[in-house]
Amino acid sequence: MLLHVRLSGWACWCLFSGVFSVFSLQQRLTVNLNGKWRLSNSNGSLLLPAQVPGCVHSALQQQGYITDPYFRFNDVSYRWIALDNWTYTTTFTLSAELSVKQKVLLVFDGVDTVGSVSLNGIAVGKTNNMFCRHDFSVKDLLKDGENVLQVGLLSPILYASEQRKAHTSYAVPPECPPGVQKGECHVNFIRKEQSSFSWDWGPSFPTMGLWKGVRLEAFDILQLVQVSSVPLYNDAFSQWRVQVELLIDAVQTARGQLTLSIPELDSEQTFQTHFNPGKTKSNFTILINTASQVKLWWPNGHGEQPYYRLTIRGFQDEFLIFSTESKVYFRTVELIQEPVVGSPGLSFYFRINGKPIFLKGSNWIPVHSFQDQVTPDVLKNLLQSAVDANMNALRVWGGGVYEQDLFYEICDELGIMVWQDFMFACAMYPTETDFIQTVREEVVQQVQRLKSHPSIIIWSGNNENEAALATDWFDIPASQRPKYIRDYVMLYVDNIKKLVQEEDQSRPFLVSSPTNGAESEQEGWVAENPYDLHYGDVHFYSYILDCWDWRTFPRTRFASEYGFQSWPSFSTLQPVSIKEDWSYGSNFTSHRQHHEDGNQQMILQAALHFHLPNATDPLKRFTDTLYITQVMQAQCVKTQTEFYRRSRSEIIEGKGHTMGALYWQLNDIWQAPSWSSIEFGGKWKMLHYFAQSFFAAVFPVAFEEDDTLVIYAISDLSRDLKLRAVVNVFSWTELDPVCTLNSSMLLVPGVSAVAVFKQPVASLLAGCGNCTRLTCLLTFQLEDDSSQQGPTNHHFLCSPKDAQGLRRPNITVETFHSTYM
């Protein structure tokens, strides 16, 4: 690429370090301003040390001004923190080497959220978007010796309220969250984590702080701000190419030579180029040698996740100026929406490297209310837990944050496909020029940062906003509806969609979720019924109907949200509660439930099939109740997921060909009831253990239709199998089966769901001793000629509460602790 002959000149730098690393062969000056700052509130009554990256809540807790914000009712008790304004201050000494550089930038990777920056008492600039990187040119403001840097942060609650008041032409709903959430209002008027003002699974902690790194960057001629590499496949020529994008900040015009090479693929190209003053984007394409065999990146369960090293070298006058190295993963992704034989509407599935893939997984929410407390170990544990449960996909939900680089790096390495929402959820949004402009900057920055990751297979504009408009969540008068549709199209289509497609041609874009996809586009981007089962993806929740009845579930093309709540275990709740909280009717259990009637819904659903806990000891009754909610949740999500998996290969009454099951939700943000399968802290709920089975690559599913037992063999494998179903009939009173039935050996084609067993329940039981629906239950598995394939499943012939012969187990558990030297 470039550029300056003086060896004391410039060096390259990368903004986001996760995807690539940089090796500088010339002097580059970076002053890291992370570490200990000073923090004060608006009237100066509080002055304390604060870590950067960090937030005000974490600093107050670390210095002992507040206790654990998650303890009992502290989310309400500490509301005052977000109603105040706060100022971060640090001092640093200017070095002689830095002072002589031609350009010095003050870089904030993330400010949460509404800030004013000053250096040595002089205003530098303002921030208003948590999701944007900000840099300010400060060379002329620096002085020899000590420099004072301040960032003043406004209360996000008061700022959002003021923005709402200034929007006088018409309302932008919703005004406030439901009262049960105990949250704050007008979050749609501020570009920060939407769930930080509360959600139905999380607390209201509107954070403030310098949540990502701060530093000075100094250079003489130019610096490399961002590198992106996106592989693209040309079908016509059967050839790969890698599109490499460089974002350069140059002081003056720079000319030179750029060499791109992937040695393992025997591919290299050299370009003559130049960069103009200011920030400019330049694209280069390296063609991959067609004689080289490219190894492809595959989702978990479908292959390996190999990568190649891309080297980018800059020369001037034959002198090597810099060398940058990044990872490149090769894969293609297509979202297939095409006519379906025997059905109206269109298909909706993902094809990776030309292969249809059933997405198995969950939805990802923020790991913690305070992002500075999200450690690498926590991320690694949650993502490994997803893979351990045979998941291959996660949806990063649009009310949280664009995750840190490490999240996507781990997903790349583990083969976890990511459905990436933009951060808009369950609301209408303003479309003033200033708001649109900061959103545009947010979108461009995030796409540039993330598009090198093969794990991201789709961009999605928002969470549920099409559905909110179409089904009138906010009681918008019919006469005003065109105005809101116009705003919706302006934000998500004219701006976000257009920008994404300009920045990234390698993966599809959806405007919303749920959506009818191509059909929604035909209907002007807001479909009459975005939940139409013949198109797109569906979010579906039903807490009153019997979740053991598969007929209550929609036979959708793709299920991107569904689920049931449960409570976390007592060991997770105990540290944030006291003895008086330990009953299902306590103020604490009511306070932690942010979903209307959620605690009652769990109990009513559990009572359909289980005896509710009735121990005389209050603590045992409470812990038993927590447990039964997890049993209920696991069985409900199991039944629904099995229905979606067996619907992949069939069309019934025009519906079917389901190709995705992403239950809500994987993780928790605090210790409370939610839809998660992993508790806050990383402990698996019963649902997650169930998911390990119901997401297995080969798996049997049983259900009843017209009193006939039907068993499907589900296979995600590419190869054909010959399998039979083996059904064991057990009495509730014995550990050995009463009898065993075998089906014929049948062909199960690759990536399909096939019925391999069908028999009326009455005749099955009649040939099996004295079994009745009340006295017996079934287990079943799939076998080939030599061994069992996949896990064993179970099927209840009656509700366990009606089972006859079921006895209390007499089980003793001993735990041994060993120390290894």
Side-chain angles (χ1 to χ4, degrees), residues 395-590:
R395 173 171 172 254
V396 177
W397 167 77
V401 298
Y402 306 96
E403 280 297 333
Q404 57 184 275
D405 294 326
L406 180 62
F407 171 89
Y408 301 98
E409 291 168 20
I410 298 171
C411 289
D412 293 343
E413 295 166 3
L414 296 179
I416 300 173
M417 293 177 284
V418 174
W419 175 312
Q420 179 66 55
D421 281 2
F422 287 91
M423 295 301 123
F424 301 87
C426 302
M428 302 296 99
Y429 288 86
T431 55
E432 281 81 2
T433 301
D434 289 349
F435 187 88
I436 291 290
Q437 188 54 46
T438 191
V439 167
R440 288 176 63 87
E441 183 63 27
E442 167 190 329
V443 169
V444 169
Q445 285 193 21
Q446 293 299 333
V447 174
Q448 288 179 349
R449 176 173 75 99
L450 298 176
K451 65 184 178 182
S452 299
H453 292 283
S455 52
I456 298 175
I457 62 166
I458 189 169
W459 306 106
S460 180
N462 66 72
N463 173 76
E464 299 185 343
N465 295 346
E466 180 186 344
L469 259 180
T471 59
D472 199 21
W473 290 8
F474 307 125
D475 299 318
I476 296 171
S479 61
Q480 296 184 27
R481 182 177 162 84
K483 179 191 310 177
Y484 289 92
I485 294 177
R486 185 169 62 247
D487 280 0
Y488 178 92
V489 173
M490 179 193 295
L491 178 58
Y492 300 112
V493 181
D494 299 341
N495 283 280
I496 296 178
K497 179 177 183 288
K498 183 178 179 182
L499 285 171
V500 171
Q501 293 182 332
E502 288 174 358
E503 292 289 335
D504 179 21
Q505 297 84 41
S506 71
R507 48 179 69 82
F509 177 89
L510 276 181
V511 173
S512 188
S513 175
T515 182
N516 290 350
E519 173 61 21
S520 288
E521 179 177 354
Q522 291 298 311
E523 295 182 43
W525 302 104
V526 178
E528 182 179 354
N529 174 24
Y531 297 98
D532 192 324
L533 302 183
H534 302 99
Y535 303 93
D537 67 317
V538 166
H539 297 185
F540 178 82
Y541 297 95
S542 174
Y543 307 115
I544 305 303
L545 299 175
D546 183 0
C547 74
W548 286 28
D549 184 354
W550 59 269
R551 290 164 295 192
T552 66
F553 304 130
R555 197 183 296 271
T556 175
R557 303 288 197 228
F558 193 107
S560 52
E561 274 194 34
Y562 61 97
F564 296 83
Q565 277 197 321
S566 72
W567 275 84
S569 57
F570 183 67
S571 64
T572 295
L573 290 174
Q574 189 173 10
V576 294
S577 59
I578 62 176
K579 187 175 181 180
E580 71 181 65
D581 301 329
W582 299 339
S583 71
Y584 204 70
S586 71
N587 290 335
F588 174 79
T589 55
S590 175

Side-chain angles (χ1 to χ4, degrees), residues 722-737:
K722 285 191 175 181
L723 300 173
R724 62 170 164 261
V726 179
V727 180
N728 291 298
V729 183
F730 285 88
S731 163
W732 284 106
T733 61
E734 302 292 339
L735 293 177
D736 295 320

Side-chain angles (χ1 to χ4, degrees), residues 102-120:
Q102 290 195 41
K103 189 166 186 177
V104 181
L105 295 177
L106 173 60
V107 181
F108 294 88
D109 283 340
V111 177
D112 182 12
T113 292
V114 184
S116 56
V117 181
S118 67
L119 181 60
N120 297 322

Side-chain angles (χ1 to χ4, degrees), residues 737-810:
V738 177
C739 66
T740 298
L741 298 88
N742 294 299
S743 73
S744 302
M745 194 74 75
L746 292 175
L747 175 68
V748 178
V751 293
S752 71
V754 177
V756 294
F757 182 96
K758 183 179 290 188
Q759 186 172 346
V761 174
S763 64
L764 185 154
L765 294 177
C768 198
N770 296 317
C771 270
T772 68
R773 281 188 173 272
L774 299 180
T775 62
C776 291
L777 73 155
L778 311 177
T779 69
F780 53 97
Q781 69 254 15
L782 300 171
E783 295 181 357
D784 60 17
D785 283 331
S786 58
S787 61
Q788 180 173 332
Q789 297 296 307
T792 299
N793 204 347
H794 65 268
H795 179 72
F796 294 122
L797 297 169
C798 69
S799 296
K801 69 177 184 179
D802 299 323
Q804 295 177 359
L806 185 59
R807 295 176 292 184
R808 287 188 176 276
N810 182 17

Side-chain angles (χ1 to χ4, degrees), residues 245-277:
E245 182 180 280
L246 305 182
L247 180 61
I248 296 290
D249 189 353
V251 176
Q252 62 189 47
T253 300
R255 299 180 181 277
Q257 193 177 71
L258 180 72
T259 298
L260 307 178
S261 64
I262 304 179
E264 290 176 271
L265 295 176
D266 194 25
S267 302
E268 180 172 297
Q269 285 180 253
T270 299
F271 306 86
Q272 302 297 323
T273 187
H274 73 276
F275 297 101
N276 295 319

Side-chain angles (χ1 to χ4, degrees), residues 619-660:
L619 179 58
K620 179 169 174 50
R621 186 162 64 252
F622 179 56
T623 56
D624 286 352
T625 303
L626 300 179
Y627 173 78
I628 203 66
T629 67
Q630 290 206 20
V631 174
M632 175 275 297
Q633 179 198 35
Q635 191 69 29
C636 287
V637 177
K638 171 185 181 294
T639 304
Q640 192 166 0
T641 306
E642 290 178 349
F643 171 68
Y644 294 142
R645 290 200 70 190
R646 69 177 169 87
S647 297
R648 69 174 298 163
S649 300
E650 60 190 13
I651 293 291
I652 296 178
E653 297 178 349
K655 293 171 290 209
H657 278 192
T658 307
M659 284 297 288

